[in-house]
Amino acid sequence: MTKKGSMKPGRKNKAEEPELEPLCCCEYLDRNGEKNHVAACLCDCQDLDEGCDRWITCKSVQPETYERIMDTISDRLRIPWLRGARKVNISLLPPLFLLPVFLRVASWHFLLGVVVLTSLPVLALWYYYLTHRRKEQTLFFLSLGLFSLGYMYYVFLQEVVPRGRVGPTQLALLTCGLLLILLALCQAKKDPGYLRNPANDDRSPLSGSQTECLNRTGQEKPKGFPGADPAGGLNNRGPKDEPKGCPRTSAGSPATGKEDWCAKCRLVRPARAWHCRICGVCVRRMDHHCVWINSCVGESNHQAFMLALLVFLLTSVYGITLTLDTICTDRSVFTALFYCPGVYANYSSALCFTCVWYSVIIMGGMAYIFLIQLINISYNVTEREVQQALRQKTGRRLLCGLIVDTGQYNRGFLRNWHQFSTLGTHPFHHPAEDIV
């Protein structure tokens, strides 16, 4: 009798649950969980109306109003798709529209080129500072890098190849270099070595004591990576905030040695693992969070990251050389880069010359990153450890701080590079000297 009585309400509730209607290609569920339509993207937006009224009347707009307007725009910016409209990340769009416009405007005159090519890095650095300060993920730099590659290749095919000085073999080499860059970026975008908490994994349910512990601390498992916290805080020494009776979970760390506890991911980390406040998860042998790939550089993707940088630099140098040989035939590459008379007399040559200088600026930034990475690998330090040593004024500094040797993991040039070449091959094994 008890079983029958207990099953009736369940059947009744199940029958009373309304069935969700399938969404058409232009419908979507907004951030409030309500059904909305793409055509109503400009309807019922009180924050936008209030902001426009204040702009018209020359009144100041509160920062909270800006954030609500941007949240509304990002939620309603969608494209029709099967089974519901898909959201478009707003940070992808500026490079797609602004980069061709800026480069073509810079091709009109030499002075315009100087102003535009100087302002582009400044704007990129300002946007990086803005997003890095807020600890936000952004696809702006990944979109800028990929679209820059595509646009430079398009200009090369449209303006340089028809002049007849680039042969099929040279074009094939440049195309292969571009494809290798994309393949290396795909490898670098993969899992950098995220530390997942087995206790919070969907495949292994939480025990009663663990559930009580999480409820006591008020933490919830966010979407994305198991055990991650969107706030991204870091408490890297000692479980100060750990409630009594809560079990610690080890994520592939040695059983002996001093424990390194992450209060956000709630796990014991191996040596050199750090919590990324942008991704909200711990990463094995974390080097840094790279905005150009919108991911961390860690134990599993550091080699692919270095390969992508190397192939990019070689391909950029080759493409710049071919372009300058075409538009400045009677001068060497280095001379033509700084002095190419008559290049602004023809708009096609001016556009190629502007794209060359844009590529040089980007290549200079990537070369600096590549150099720093080579130095860090040679001394067996990560960028995260370098920044910590600079803040704490520890370690040995050489060449005005360009080289920082903490001395903790340095085993000599050859052994350091051998250890780097074997990263990721044994993700759960760490040498005895690397135990915290």
Side-chain angles (χ1 to χ4, degrees):
M1 293 295 293
T2 306
K3 293 183 178 180
K4 292 182 180 179
S6 62
M7 293 180 63
K8 287 182 180 180
R11 293 178 179 177
K12 185 177 180 180
N13 293 336
K14 185 175 182 181
E16 291 178 355
E17 290 180 358
E19 295 183 0
L20 296 177
E21 298 180 0
L23 299 175
C24 75
C25 61
C26 296
E27 293 180 334
Y28 65 93
L29 296 177
D30 59 15
R31 56 181 178 174
N32 298 323
E34 300 176 357
K35 184 182 290 187
N36 212 328
H37 200 276
V38 174
C41 59
L42 298 178
C43 301
D44 191 20
C45 186
Q46 298 179 358
D47 296 326
L48 184 59
D49 295 339
E50 179 185 354
C52 292
D53 292 339
R54 285 185 169 271
W55 287 330
I56 293 175
T57 57
C58 298
K59 296 181 181 179
S60 61
V61 181
Q62 299 296 328
E64 296 79 7
T65 305
Y66 277 117
E67 294 181 0
R68 290 196 299 267
I69 292 175
M70 294 305 300
D71 291 340
T72 303
I73 293 176
S74 62
D75 184 53
R76 297 185 180 185
L77 186 62
R78 297 174 182 262
I79 56 174
W81 204 259
L82 299 176
R83 299 180 180 179
R86 295 290 182 88
K87 183 185 294 187
V88 178
N89 196 314
I90 195 172
S91 61
L92 289 171
L93 302 180
L96 304 181
F97 298 101
L98 297 180
L99 183 63
V101 173
F102 283 164
L103 292 181
R104 291 190 176 274
V105 169
S107 305
W108 292 348
H109 195 270
F110 172 75
L111 295 179
L112 282 175
V114 172
V115 173
V116 171
L117 293 177
T118 305
S119 61
L120 282 178
V122 175
L123 291 175
L125 290 175
W126 171 80
Y127 185 76
Y128 169 77
Y129 172 76
L130 183 65
T131 55
H132 186 74
R133 185 181 61 180
R134 295 181 179 179
K135 306 301 178 185
E136 296 176 352
Q137 282 193 339
T138 176
L139 295 175
F140 174 82
F141 295 96
L142 179 61
S143 173
L144 178 62
L146 294 177
F147 188 68
S148 296
L149 289 174
Y151 189 71
M152 295 302 105
Y153 187 70
Y154 168 78
V155 172
F156 186 84
L157 293 179
Q158 291 293 115
E159 306 294 342
V160 179
V161 174
R163 295 173 184 257
R165 294 184 62 87
V166 177
T169 304
Q170 296 170 321
L171 180 60
L173 288 176
L174 188 65
T175 305
C176 289
L178 181 63
L179 295 177
L180 287 177
I181 294 174
L182 297 179
L183 290 176
L185 284 177
C186 290
Q187 291 295 322
K189 280 286 293 177
K190 291 184 177 179
D191 187 352
Y194 294 117
L195 287 173
R196 292 172 173 83
N197 192 337
N200 292 343
D201 201 343
D202 294 334
R203 292 172 294 182
S204 57
L206 289 171
S207 62
S209 60
Q210 291 171 334
T211 305
E212 181 183 358
C213 175
L214 290 179
N215 293 335
R216 198 181 308 167
T217 55
Q219 293 181 351
E220 297 179 357
K221 185 181 71 172
K223 296 181 181 180
F225 300 103
D229 191 294
L234 175 62
N235 184 3
N236 61 338
R237 293 292 175 223
K240 297 180 181 179
D241 300 329
E242 179 188 3
K244 295 181 179 180
C246 295
R248 294 188 181 185
T249 305
S250 175
S253 62
T256 61
K258 190 175 180 180
E259 292 177 336
D260 189 18
W261 172 257
C262 179
K264 295 298 181 180
C265 297
R266 305 200 62 77
L267 50 80
V268 180
R269 302 175 297 192
R272 313 186 77 176
W274 291 94
H275 187 94
C276 178
R277 293 179 291 177
I278 298 177
C279 296
V281 68
C282 290
V283 181
R284 296 181 182 275
R285 197 186 177 277
M286 176 180 170
D287 189 86
H288 68 286
H289 181 91
C290 182
V291 294
W292 293 104
I293 62 175
N294 192 33
S295 177
C296 291
V297 177
E299 184 178 82
S300 301
N301 68 339
H302 202 168
Q303 298 172 350
F305 177 73
M306 293 295 294
L307 179 62
L309 285 176
L310 178 61
V311 177
F312 172 79
L313 292 176
L314 294 178
T315 306
S316 299
V317 171
Y318 189 63
I320 290 172
T321 303
L322 293 178
T323 304
L324 291 178
D325 283 339
T326 302
I327 62 177
C328 295
T329 56
D330 56 343
R331 299 181 183 277
S332 63
V333 175
F334 186 78
T335 305
L337 185 62
F338 295 95
Y339 182 69
C340 186
V343 69
Y344 282 93
N346 185 3
Y347 181 76
S348 176
S349 300
L351 179 61
C352 294
F353 190 72
T354 303
C355 291
V356 163
W357 263 106
Y358 175 76
S359 301
V360 168
I361 293 173
I362 299 296
M363 188 183 66
M366 296 298 120
Y368 175 77
I369 297 176
F370 187 69
L371 176 62
I372 294 299
Q373 289 292 314
L374 290 178
I375 294 174
N376 291 345
I377 295 171
S378 301
Y379 285 88
N380 199 2
V381 294
T382 63
E383 188 62 26
R384 181 66 177 80
E385 294 167 351
V386 168
Q387 297 301 325
Q388 186 183 31
L390 292 177
R391 285 195 299 266
Q392 299 177 357
K393 297 181 180 180
T394 59
R396 186 164 56 99
R397 301 180 61 181
L398 303 173
L399 295 179
C400 300
L402 185 64
I403 301 175
V404 178
D405 181 16
T406 60
Q408 187 176 3
Y409 304 103
N410 190 0
R411 301 297 179 266
F413 181 83
L414 295 179
R415 291 186 62 184
N416 292 339
W417 275 95
H418 174 73
Q419 181 181 353
F420 176 78
S421 63
T422 57
L423 284 179
T425 56
H426 303 287
F428 296 103
H429 174 73
H430 297 271
E433 64 267 15
D434 285 355
I435 297 176
V436 177

